[in-house]
Amino acid sequence: AVWRNAFRSAKAHNGFFIEGVEPVLFNKRSLFMLDLPQKCVGDKPWTVTHYLYSISATRILHLNEKKKVVTLTDSWDDLPPQTFTSVWNFTLAPDIVPEQKGDEWHLKYHKKTLLVLHSQDLDFTVADSWYAPNYGTKRACKKLVAKCPVSTQPVKTFFTKV
């Protein structure tokens, strides 16, 4: 149950979440059920909002094919009066190696840069993580993690294809 809950937790997923607060309780009733949006609003940019916390979270994904850039714009709606910390996770495949160059992160495969991650709003660090290629197995990998006050928004992250 310990590993299953670790993989179910918000901190094990790519995305942004509130530090120390799980949006879904770990119980039998909610084991494989989430109340997620049935559809996305529009396709340019692609927008998803969820209400798993008492405040809603919105992610807008915009693709600029000409510049080969994906922009993620994340925000919390209806900010709470309490002070919370937002956390961003980008879990990398086991063979992807992150390398920092200035304020950019080069995501490399066999020493070749595939993508460059950059954010003026966030300072990422590398952390150890796990990847589950299928149920019951795990492989060590790295992830990029950043934190900031929940009131810092919107937060933009750019991924550029090299």
Side-chain angles (χ1 to χ4, degrees):
V2 172
W3 277 106
R4 181 185 69 215
N5 286 344
F7 275 100
R8 289 181 64 212
S9 71
K11 65 183 178 182
H13 288 83
N14 290 324
F16 68 109
F17 59 93
I18 297 174
E19 184 174 48
V21 180
E22 285 298 329
V24 178
L25 298 175
F26 294 148
N27 59 36
K28 289 183 181 183
R29 186 171 160 246
S30 65
L31 182 59
F32 294 106
M33 297 174 53
L34 292 177
D35 184 22
L36 295 175
Q38 293 296 316
K39 65 176 185 171
C40 298
V41 181
D43 61 347
K44 292 199 181 208
W46 188 58
T47 303
V48 175
T49 300
H50 78 72
Y51 304 92
L52 297 175
Y53 291 102
S54 59
I55 57 174
S56 60
T58 299
R59 170 165 279 172
I60 300 170
L61 184 145
H62 184 267
L63 172 63
N64 183 326
E65 292 183 62
K66 195 175 208 178
K67 293 184 178 181
K68 299 181 180 179
V69 176
V70 171
T71 304
L72 300 180
T73 304
D74 299 322
S75 62
W76 296 102
D77 305 321
D78 305 320
L79 287 176
Q82 303 93 334
T83 302
F84 288 110
T85 299
S86 296
V87 181
W88 278 257
N89 272 348
F90 293 110
T91 303
L92 307 174
D95 295 329
I96 300 298
V97 177
E99 181 180 307
Q100 188 171 15
K101 293 185 178 182
D103 61 354
E104 297 179 336
W105 284 93
H106 290 241
L107 306 181
K108 297 184 170 196
Y109 179 71
H110 294 294
K111 299 182 181 181
K112 180 183 177 192
T113 299
L114 302 176
L115 290 174
V116 176
L117 179 148
H118 171 73
S119 176
Q120 294 176 332
D121 304 315
L122 300 170
D123 292 320
F124 285 94
T125 60
V126 177
D128 293 328
S129 191
W130 295 97
Y131 161 74
N134 48 51
Y135 189 81
T137 62
K138 63 183 189 301
R139 289 184 58 195
C141 65
K142 299 293 183 191
K143 68 180 176 178
L144 293 175
V145 180
K147 297 180 182 184
C148 72
V150 75
S151 58
T152 303
Q153 60 174 325
V155 172
K156 289 189 177 190
T157 308
F158 304 90
F159 292 87
T160 305
K161 182 180 176 189
V162 177

